[in-house]
């Protein structure tokens, strides 16, 4: 079963997450031509990438998620990174407009599925945003200012979300693609953060677990119930999470790391 393929750091949560839907999309044939911003291009082994993605999906399923598999988009090299075309709040889903033109064709099929669950609101030109730049903790949205997400999108988000009681906080980034490349929520009051890429002062008032300095890409984990799904490549940071009392389920997405993606993106 899936659990035998993982190096599970502590007993997995038995909390039911059956009301959690995980949307995934298969690794496209064209992933070798993906966008790269801060990472050098190295060959990606398609079969290994698919096998790693399958185990990742099975892990989410094993943690209780209902899995929805979108149709593959082989002409969109980054389409496995299904996080970026949208993000979801309790009240609505925001359909993104990527700062990377090559990624804009990914949004329609994501919106189609989200529309079954939420009213959808699209970011309009000249606004640009990727879901990877958005962390939601309580009623606060931390939104990166990046090569993918611009000030016009921040403005549109404020117009949309202020009336719903959300606060939009803009986060400047250094040396990384998305906000979630360098930081992710690990509970309702704690974040995992690489302080070299994302200023920890962003998260004032929250508990912070810092990435191990030798593992700059380790700030990206997915919360499923009380469990954090993390890449096994980042053992030292995962140890820090376990020592801080978090349950960690490890997967490995090494081939997708070469495409400048990680667990949340997938
Ligand atoms: N390769 C991931 C991205 O650029 O969106």
């Amino acid at each position: 079963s899936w659990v035998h393929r993982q190096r599970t750091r502590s007993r997995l949560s038995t909390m039911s997450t059956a009301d959690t839907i995980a949307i995934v999309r298969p690794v496209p044939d064209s992933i070798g031509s993906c966008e790269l911003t801060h990472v050098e291009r190295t060959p990606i082994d398609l079969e290994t990438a698919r096998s790693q993605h399958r185990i990742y999906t099975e892990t989410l399923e094993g943690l209780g998620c209902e899995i929805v598999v979108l149709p593959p988009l082989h002409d969109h090299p980054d389409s496995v990174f299904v996080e970026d075309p949208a993000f979801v709040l309790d009240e609505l889903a925001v359909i993104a407009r990527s700062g990377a033109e090559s990624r804009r064709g990914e949004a329609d099929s994501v919106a189609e599925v989200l529309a079954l669950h939420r009213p959808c609101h699209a970011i309009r030109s000249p606004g640009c945003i990727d879901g990877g730049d958005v962390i939601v903790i309580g009623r606060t949205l931390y939104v990166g200012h990046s090569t993918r997400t611009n000030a016009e999108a921040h403005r549109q988000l404020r117009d949309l979300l202020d009336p719903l009681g959300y606060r939009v906080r803009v986060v400047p980034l250094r040396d990384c693609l998305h906000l979630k490349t360098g930081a992710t929520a690990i509970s309702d009051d704690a974040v995992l953060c690489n302080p070299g890429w994302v200023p920890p002062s962003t998260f004032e008032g929250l508990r912070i677990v810092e990435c191990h300095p030798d593992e700059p890409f380790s700030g990206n984990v997915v919360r499923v119930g009380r469990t954090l799904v993390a890449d096994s490549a980042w053992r030292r940071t995962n140890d820090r999470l376990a020592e801080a009392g978090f349950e960690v389920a490890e997967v490995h997405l090494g081939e997708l790391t070469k495409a400048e993606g990680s667990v949340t993106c997938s």
Side-chain angles (χ1 to χ4, degrees):
S1 75
W2 67 273
V3 83
H4 298 302
R5 287 195 285 263
Q6 318 308 321
R7 191 169 72 102
T8 302
R9 308 300 296 258
S10 58
R11 247 164 52 81
L12 292 174
S13 169
T14 52
M15 191 181 90
S16 168
T17 51
D19 59 348
T20 300
I21 297 171
I23 298 173
V24 298
R25 189 184 321 260
V27 177
D29 294 344
S30 57
I31 189 164
S33 310
C34 65
E35 296 278 346
L36 291 176
T37 308
H38 297 279
V39 168
E40 292 286 313
R41 194 170 300 279
T42 50
I44 293 174
D45 185 280
L46 194 53
E47 288 321 306
T48 305
R50 288 190 168 137
S51 151
Q52 291 173 345
H53 188 260
R54 180 177 49 76
I55 293 169
Y56 167 74
T57 303
E58 288 170 2
T59 300
L60 297 177
E61 193 172 21
L63 289 168
C65 294
E66 178 190 336
I67 305 295
V68 172
V69 183
L70 297 178
L73 286 178
H74 291 297
D75 293 338
H76 289 84
D78 286 291
S79 55
V80 64
F81 300 128
V82 76
E83 163 177 75
D84 292 315
F87 65 90
V88 180
L89 302 172
D90 286 345
E91 298 86 350
L92 51 81
V94 175
I95 308 305
R97 179 175 179 274
S98 182
E101 216 174 322
S102 72
R103 300 209 54 188
R104 291 189 191 148
E106 300 169 30
D108 284 352
S109 52
V110 173
E112 216 170 282
V113 169
L114 292 178
L116 301 174
H117 303 280
R118 297 283 191 283
C120 291
H121 180 97
I123 295 294
R124 299 174 309 279
S125 175
C128 292
I129 190 166
D130 271 0
D133 271 323
V134 181
I135 298 173
V136 183
I137 301 180
R139 305 304 281 183
T140 303
L141 269 73
Y142 301 88
V143 184
H145 190 110
S146 71
T147 54
R148 301 290 173 81
T149 298
N150 63 13
E152 169 60 18
H154 299 142
R155 193 193 61 72
Q156 290 182 30
L157 284 181
R158 285 200 173 103
D159 282 355
L160 176 70
L161 299 175
D162 277 2
L164 297 176
Y166 286 97
R167 190 167 60 129
V168 174
R169 291 195 56 170
V170 176
V171 185
L173 307 180
R174 200 173 349 138
D175 300 333
C176 64
L177 176 60
H178 288 129
L179 173 58
K180 272 188 271 194
T181 318
T184 40
I186 50 178
S187 74
D188 290 340
D189 61 5
V191 289
L192 175 64
C193 177
N194 170 348
W197 289 349
V198 179
S201 57
T202 301
F203 304 111
E204 201 184 343
L206 301 178
R207 182 176 162 209
I208 294 179
V209 176
E210 286 196 4
C211 298
H212 191 284
D214 294 344
E215 298 179 344
F217 282 91
S218 62
N220 185 275
V221 297
V222 171
R223 285 175 74 189
V224 183
R226 291 199 308 271
T227 302
L228 303 177
V229 180
D231 198 302
S232 60
W234 319 126
R235 287 182 183 242
R236 282 172 280 197
T237 294
N238 295 346
D239 281 340
R240 286 186 174 186
L241 290 169
E243 281 157 21
F246 292 92
E247 294 177 352
V248 179
E250 291 188 328
V251 297
H252 185 50
L253 291 179
E255 293 306 297
L256 298 184
T257 305
K258 295 178 185 172
E260 213 166 357
S262 187
V263 284
T264 65
C265 325
S266 304

